[in-house]
Amino acid sequence: MEARLQVGEELDLGTAGRSAGDQFVFSGSLVSAEGPEERPVGRFGGFCVVTDPERNAGQCSSTAVLPEGQITVQGEQTGIPAPGPVTNAITGGTGEFRKARGQVTQRVLTPATWRLTFEVSDVRPHRAGGGHSLPDVSAPEPPSLPGK
C-alpha cells in the first residue's frame, strides 16, 4: 500500500526553531498499489513530538484505519518530518486487528509518499470468498516544509 499525505503541518511550539515539544501532525489516504489498478483501502493519521532536538528525533504515533479495523503504531523516529528508514512497534488495533502485534517498517519514497511494510502477528483477517493477508503498505512522505 501507499500512504499519500494530504495534511502535513509542522508546529513550532515554545522556543523559536527546532526545540523539544515541537510537533509534526499528518494525515492522508492509504492506497493499494497491488495489481494493475490502484484502489483506496483506508486512511491514516498521526503525530510526532520532538524529544531530542540535537538528533531531530521524537516519539511518533499513528493509526491506519482500514475496513476491517484500525492498527496503531508507535516509536522513535529521527529526521522529522521526513525520517530515514525506521521500524516501529504495532501497539494494537481494533476489529479484526484487535490482537495485532508486530512491527511496521517505513521508507520515505518522496516527501509525500511512504512505503509501509507491516509484519503483523495474531491477526486472521478474512473476506467473503477467501482469506487475505495485510498488504505491503506505502505511505506518503511528508512534504518538505519551510521553517525548521
Side-chain angles (χ1 to χ4, degrees), residues 99-122:
K99 295 182 181 180
R101 294 289 178 261
Q103 62 186 22
V104 176
T105 300
Q106 174 183 311
R107 296 187 192 291
V108 173
L109 302 177
T110 73
T113 304
W114 302 330
R115 173 157 303 278
L116 302 177
T117 304
F118 285 78
E119 296 175 47
V120 185
S121 61
D122 295 332

Side-chain angles (χ1 to χ4, degrees), residues 21-73:
D22 287 354
Q23 296 179 20
F24 177 63
V25 180
F26 55 92
S27 67
S29 59
L30 293 172
V31 177
S32 174
E34 295 179 6
E37 295 183 23
E38 295 181 348
R39 61 182 174 83
V41 295
R43 65 187 189 282
F44 72 99
F47 61 91
C48 296
V49 177
V50 174
T51 56
D52 186 342
E54 289 182 28
R55 294 180 30 242
N56 191 22
Q59 293 297 310
C60 298
S61 178
S62 63
T63 303
V65 180
L66 304 165
E68 301 88 356
Q70 300 180 19
I71 299 173
T72 58
V73 178

